[in-house]
Amino acid sequence: MNKDEIILAHKEFLFPSVFHYFREPLVVARAKDQYVWDADGNQFLDFFGGIVTVSVGHCNEEVNRKVHRQMDTLQHVSTVFLNEPQVALAAKIASITPERALTKSFFTNSGTEANETAILTARCYTGSSEIVALRHAYHGRSAATMTLTGQSTWRLGPVQPGVVHAPNAYCYRCPFGLEYPSCELKCAHDVEEVIRTTTSGRIAGMIAEPIQGVGGFITPPKEYFGIVAEIVRKYGGVFISDEVQTAWGRTGGKWFGIEQWGVTPDIITSAKGLGNGAPVGVTVARAEVADAVKGVTISTFGGNPVTATAAKAVLDYIEEKRLPENVTEVGGYLRGKLLEMQEKHPSIGDVRGMGLLQAIEFVEDRKTKKPATALTLEVLEEARRQRIMVGRGGLSGNVVRLSPPMNITKTDVDEFAGRLDASIAAATAKFQTVAV
Ligand SMILES: Cc1ncc(COP(=O)(O)O)c(C=O)c1O
């Protein structure tokens, strides 16, 4: 099919809810390392990584070699028979969880399923059904995980009972109108109020992203999760860290985002970057928590030998190439470039994130902080012209999200930063022209 045929077929044969960026959809033909080529042969520098998923570069040779070999050896038997790749991956994950405290894994195919499994596990372990989640969260697209999600855009259809939402730690737009640190972490302490006023006081647990991804890389103060985890446990719940975006070194220096906040959760969920594009989700829990799931449950493709091989190869690659260290260094360099841009462009209200998970929030005015959604859309269009790939997020769609492969270099950042700066300048000029 040529490009136009692909666009037409997409329109005719896919649900219209399968949304895409840009006024005219971008058709991608191939990718290698940090680059992606469109159907017209244009090369893009990819700083979104397929939504925080291409962790070790597109079509990574070391990973793919192992995957090809596994494809030709054993592709599928389901979980009713044992296979080595599944247990090897589980053992590897157990060896890198915080304090090695989470040792038992359940594999699925996506972050949504990983979170479904976590909620089920928390409910089995505690005998309670009530879950606390956060506003601005994103946890998936099933009925239960849409209910956990705290953004109207991503909550389709009826919600399920048993979920309450606490205000999040969004310092740039503090839900309490306070400022850190004089706020004394009001948002964290408010979780106790939420439990006491909107639940039975006996909760199954709380689920939260260490840095809220789809919400626009909203990064809490360092003390936040320590306080919150203690409150959750005080009321009998387990603490679930949704690391679909923040795991595997993405935040720099550590395997998991929650480690940046000094907390050891009871359950961690992840997917995305674990497989570098292979569909694999994992729910890893403390042994006694995992053991509470009585009876049997099955995921036909979960722990599939091919995707498990991909995931194990990705983790080995991250470890061998010391990518968490690279993330700290190159992520810090990228952050510096973004802060320079903030000084230059008044529309950049906030720069935030950690490691190679960095975001800029656009506002119409730094005083009112009115979200500049239309400008953000234009920045994306200009970024396309500049041949860079970036993501969008935030409740108002006014956040540009950057999550390149974790093995990029400072040279990539230099190339990217120049083009992003030009994109913002061009988008801003358009708006100024319209205003005149
Ligand atoms: C934090 C978080 N949790 C869960 C999910 C759902 O993952 P999936 O799209 O693989 O179902 C996502 C997806 O963006 C996510 O960012």
Side-chain angles (χ1 to χ4, degrees), residues 38 124 130 166 185 212 218 224 263 290 325 364 415 423 425 428:
D38 72 10
C124 289
E130 292 170 280
L185 279 297
Q212 292 185 310
I218 300 170
Y224 175 80
V263 169
E325 282 85 344
E364 287 186 5
E415 195 179 326
S423 310
T428 308

Side-chain angles (χ1 to χ4, degrees), residues 70 78 83 136 153 194 253 289 305 345 353 423 430:
Q70 186 61 44
S78 88
N83 67 80
H136 296 250
T153 316
V194 169
V289 177
H345 302 286
S423 310
K430 261 189 200 164

Side-chain angles (χ1 to χ4, degrees), residues 214-353:
V214 179
F217 296 171
I218 300 170
T219 312
K222 58 184 183 312
E223 305 90 340
Y224 175 80
F225 275 112
I227 298 168
V228 164
E230 202 178 312
I231 295 170
V232 168
R233 286 169 180 150
K234 178 173 161 193
Y235 288 89
V238 297
F239 181 68
I240 305 165
S241 185
D242 177 344
E243 303 252 3
V244 169
Q245 300 208 8
T246 51
W248 322 120
R250 173 60 62 185
T251 58
K254 310 209 183 270
W255 279 107
F256 296 94
I258 199 68
E259 291 176 276
Q260 307 289 0
W261 313 129
V263 169
T264 299
D266 304 295
I267 303 177
I268 288 177
T269 61
S270 194
K272 287 193 186 285
L274 175 58
N276 201 44
V280 52
V282 64
T283 308
V284 58
R286 293 182 192 267
E288 70 272 23
V289 177
D291 291 347
V293 183
K294 306 288 184 206
V296 292
T297 179
I298 193 166
S299 167
T300 300
F301 296 121
N304 173 282
V306 176
T307 53
T309 296
K312 171 79 167 37
V314 167
L315 296 184
D316 289 344
Y317 187 90
I318 291 171
E319 196 162 60
E320 281 160 21
K321 306 284 177 192
R322 303 169 68 92
L323 294 190
E325 282 85 344
N326 189 57
V327 167
T328 304
E329 198 183 325
V330 180
Y333 188 67
L334 172 62
R335 175 62 159 257
K337 296 276 174 195
L338 299 179
L339 289 172
E340 278 170 26
M341 282 181 225
Q342 187 180 26
E343 279 181 19
K344 208 167 134 189
H345 302 286
S347 58
I348 300 182
D350 196 25
V351 175
R352 57 176 178 255

